[in-house]
């Protein structure tokens, strides 16, 4: 018993001596510096993995560009493993390019905005070029979501790990050190690579990527109090002319000139200099995440012994930071909106799908931010969700309205009916009042046309619109009414004006009603007056030359993922037109109506093979005595107007009747990116009595087609060979560019 007591006493004394020695040991403060480098910055995450394995406690973090993005997450309490998981779950190419899913776009933009190959901003009467490829809203959304647990911390020194990042004042040409403010926006500014991401405005300064002046901010981290610097420098070797293949490469090269001016001193002040081999990778090679991550880990392991030695000189370990998880649901008690000068609160809330006292999922709220961004009316949407003790939350929105409200948009097209066409579009927003948009299409080419559209967008509330359009074409068509004449050259003109009301639900479902004035002129100069006794003009015979006043209504549902070459989604449309009054050129008009509907859905297997089914039908209610208003099927176009419909295997307007029903099955296989092999089969019945006493398949017309399609920046490019087993005729259809 006495021996045991003595042993315990001696052990306690030894512990005391050890603790006294430990208490006199000076702690080592470690600063971690991450350089910029775009996609090459994924290597930083591999380095963090090794630092944690070596037991290094990071006390300060500084970064630029992608280095600030990774560094901010680590400073906010994420582990290397968590950051790795976050980055692997995102497609950074889509994030950097602000790729917004079609489901987030306003219904108006789905209907009218997906037909332009080039968009140029107009400011102060001058046409310019876009500031960058992307507004950076997806970057802002990602950072805001990931850093939401520290969004009340405005002093970056009070983060779990003190943090600093670097940006550049593009107007003053100065370095800007950011260690306070709204963390996500500061990091967004530091990462705003010129030409790729738009500048970010903070406190009146227009900020871009900090790498222009300080891509490796060792000096700023030393000022924070670091005793030793561990730096990850991704290299900025100047590229040869063979490697300067894009605007981003050229801008990065120019930035490197200034980078080298400050690099040498900062490298000298780095105690552990980690330099992953980035040969073959660039700022935009986001698809090589795994490889770049591994290169960072490999480079860090080359310094593993030095890292362990540093860890051994640190006297304590930082306890794990417990991130407060945001509730999955938000109970909205109040909504604060700032910066919506030209858009009403109702418009903002409607686009986001939020209301006072709503309870919504956090993911739905983020979707709402994307929906608001997809309008194109705001260059930056900053949000905070402030939780109250009673369980409710205040939503704070700080909007930066797009200072460009007018655009010139261009497109080119060719098809078999309208021939060559160049579209020049003028789009201007908040022209007469808040929430409005004006769009004018002038279409030049073989058939001059125009479209005017004025729309006051109130979202789910009733919106008001006015449309005016003029369409014309000339085409040889079959003519069965006179035995002596098999074909005529049909000249068709349509002038239409509409006033309508529309409401949209959840960006997918639109309902509209209105009135329409329509002038249809259809004539031919193929045969002389002696054939049909046309005494007014012996060179022209008019099938119709009437004005109509109509009631219109429609329902549309659209969840297609793309406008063309769809891979998934559903499309439903029903259109009702009641011809009320006519100037009655043929003196045989009786009021009648027409109902036309479409149902389509697409589904893709193995991400390559797409099946798309489309059913269409149209009926005439009442007596229509004007054949020009019958349904006319044939051809391959997607820009037909009025009662003209496509039908493969048949030439334009080959099938005619007061009613029709048609089914089409499309099969597409994506042989490589945006290139498709296509097969199509259609069956249709055109008749005044579609039911035919139950024999609905009698006299069914069929068509088959094979083709090749390319989804290009000009729009869809297709070459289709079509054949009808009924007529044994075949046709080759070619179209280029967006349909308009």
């Amino acid at each position: 018993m006495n021996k045991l007591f003595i042993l315990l006493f001696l052990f306690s004394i030894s512990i005391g001596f050890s603790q006294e020695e430990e208490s006199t040991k000076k702690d080592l403060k470690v600063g971690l510096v991450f350089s910029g480098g775009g996609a090459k910055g994924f290597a930083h995450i591999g380095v963090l993995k090794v630092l944690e394995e070596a037991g290094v406690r990071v006390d300060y973090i500084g970064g630029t560009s992608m280095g600030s993005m990774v560094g901010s997450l680590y400073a906010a309490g994420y582990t290397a493993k968590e950051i790795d998981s976050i980055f692997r779950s995102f497609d950074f190419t889509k994030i950097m390019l602000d790729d917004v899913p079609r489901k987030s776009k306003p219904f108006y933009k789905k209907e009218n905005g997906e037909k332009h190959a080039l968009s140029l901003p107009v400011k102060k009467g001058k046409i310019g070029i876009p500031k960058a490829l992307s507004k950076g809203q997806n970057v802002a959304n990602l950072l805001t979501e990931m850093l939401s647990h520290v969004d009340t911390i405005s002093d970056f020194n009070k983060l779990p790990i003190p943090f600093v990042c670097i940006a550049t004042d593009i107007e003053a040409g100065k370095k800007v050190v950011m260690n306070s403010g709204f963390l996500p926006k500061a990091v967004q500014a530091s990462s705003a690579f010129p030409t790729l991401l738009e500048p970010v405005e903070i406190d009146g300064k227009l900020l871009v990527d900090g790498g222009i002046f300080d891509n490796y901010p060792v000096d700023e981290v030393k000022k924070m109090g670091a005793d030793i610097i561990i730096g990850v420098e991704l290299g900025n070797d100047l590229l040869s002319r063979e490697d300067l293949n894009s605007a981003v490469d050229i801008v990065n090269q120019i930035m490197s000139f200034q980078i080298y001016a400050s690099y040498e001193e900062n490298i000298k002040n780095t105690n552990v200099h980690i330099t992953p081999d980035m040969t073959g990778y660039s700022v935009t090679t986001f698809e090589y995440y795994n490889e770049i991550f591994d290169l960072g880990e490999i480079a860090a392991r080359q310094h593993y012994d030095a890292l362990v030695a540093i860890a051994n000189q640190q006297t304590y370990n930082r306890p794990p930071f417990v991130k407060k998880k945001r509730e999955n649901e938000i109970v909205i008690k109040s909504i604060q909106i700032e910066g919506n000068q030209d858009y009403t609160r109702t418009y903002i809330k409607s686009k986001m799908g939020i209301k006072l006292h709503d309870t919504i999922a956090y993911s739905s709220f983020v979707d709402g931010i994307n929906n608001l961004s997809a309008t194109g009316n705001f260059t930056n949407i900053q949000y905070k969700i402030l939780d109250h003790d009673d369980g409710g939350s205040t939503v704070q929105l700080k909007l930066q309205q797009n200072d460009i409200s007018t655009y010139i948009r261009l497109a080119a097209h060719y098809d078999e009916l309208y021939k060559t066409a160049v579209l020049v579009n003028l789009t201007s927003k908040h022209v007469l009042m808040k929430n409005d948009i004006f769009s004018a299409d002038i279409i030049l080419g073989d058939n001059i046309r125009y479209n005017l559209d004025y729309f006051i967008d109130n979202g789910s509330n009733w919106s008001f619109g006015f449309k005016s359009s003029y369409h014309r074409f000339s085409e040889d068509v079959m003519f069965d009414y006179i035995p002596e004449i098999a074909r005529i050259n049909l000249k068709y003109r349509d002038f239409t004006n509409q006033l309508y009301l529309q409401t949209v639900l959840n960006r997918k479902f639109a309902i509209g009603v209105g009135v329409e004035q329509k002038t249809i002129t259809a004539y031919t100069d193929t045969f002389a007056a002696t054939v049909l006794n046309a005494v007014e003009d012996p060179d022209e015979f008019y099938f119709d030359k009437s004005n109509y006043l109509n009631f219109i209504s429609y329902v549309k549902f659209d969840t297609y993922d793309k406008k063309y070459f769809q891979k998934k989604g559903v499309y439903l449309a029903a259109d009702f037109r009641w011809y009320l009054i006519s100037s009655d050129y043929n003196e045989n008009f009786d009021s009648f109506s027409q109902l036309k509907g479409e149902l389509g859905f697409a589904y893709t297997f193995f991400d390559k093979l797409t099946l798309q089914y489309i059913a269409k039908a149209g009926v005439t209610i009442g007596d229509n005595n004007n054949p020009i208003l019958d349904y006319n099927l044939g051809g391959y176009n997607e820009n037909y107007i009025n009662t003209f419909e496509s039908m493969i295997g048949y030439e334009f307007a080959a099938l005619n009747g007061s009613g029709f029903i048609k089914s089409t099955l499309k099969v597409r296989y994506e042989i490589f990116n945006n290139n498709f092999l296509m097969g199509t089969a259609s069956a249709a019945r055109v008749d005044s009595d579609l039911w035919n006493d139950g024999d609905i398949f009698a006299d069914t017309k069929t068509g088959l087609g094979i083709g090749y399609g390319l989804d290009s920046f000009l729009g869809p490019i297709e070459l289709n060979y079509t054949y009808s087993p009924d007529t044994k005729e075949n046709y080759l259809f070619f179209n280029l560019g967006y349909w308009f």
Side-chain angles (χ1 to χ4, degrees), residues 28-32 56-60 226-228 230 310 314:
L28 194 64
K29 300 288 186 180
V30 173
L32 179 61
V56 175
R57 186 195 74 231
V58 176
D59 300 288
Y60 309 100
D227 300 314
I228 194 168
I230 299 172
I310 291 172
Q314 295 181 301

Side-chain angles (χ1 to χ4, degrees), residues 501-567:
L501 295 173
Q502 175 179 286
T503 183
V504 174
L505 304 176
N506 201 26
R507 302 167 307 283
K508 302 174 184 177
F509 187 64
I511 302 173
V513 296
V515 293
E516 172 186 79
Q517 177 274 322
K518 182 181 288 288
T519 301
I520 294 178
T521 304
Y523 65 96
T524 185
D525 52 15
T526 301
F527 40 76
T530 54
V531 177
L532 293 174
N533 300 317
V535 295
E536 291 184 7
D537 188 339
D539 296 321
E540 295 179 347
F541 175 80
Y542 285 86
F543 299 101
D544 195 10
K545 198 177 181 181
S546 302
N547 291 293
Y548 298 93
L549 180 64
N550 309 325
F551 168 80
I552 59 172
S553 62
Y554 58 86
V555 174
K556 296 179 182 179
F557 178 80
D558 186 355
T559 64
Y560 275 151
D561 62 327
K562 299 170 66 178
K563 182 77 169 181
Y564 308 102
F565 302 113
Q566 301 90 348
K567 286 196 169 185

Side-chain angles (χ1 to χ4, degrees), residues 24 127 258 415 427 429 431 448 618 658 688 701:
T24 59
I127 300 176
Q258 179 64 36
D415 64 58
T427 298
K429 299 181 179 181
V431 178
I448 296 175
S658 60
S688 58
K701 309 299 183 183

Side-chain angles (χ1 to χ4, degrees), residues 627-634 640 643-646 652-657:
I628 206 68
L629 294 178
D630 279 345
Y631 293 103
N632 299 274
L633 274 65
Y640 288 152
T643 54
F644 294 97
E645 288 287 338
S646 63
F652 173 72
L655 304 174
N656 320 100

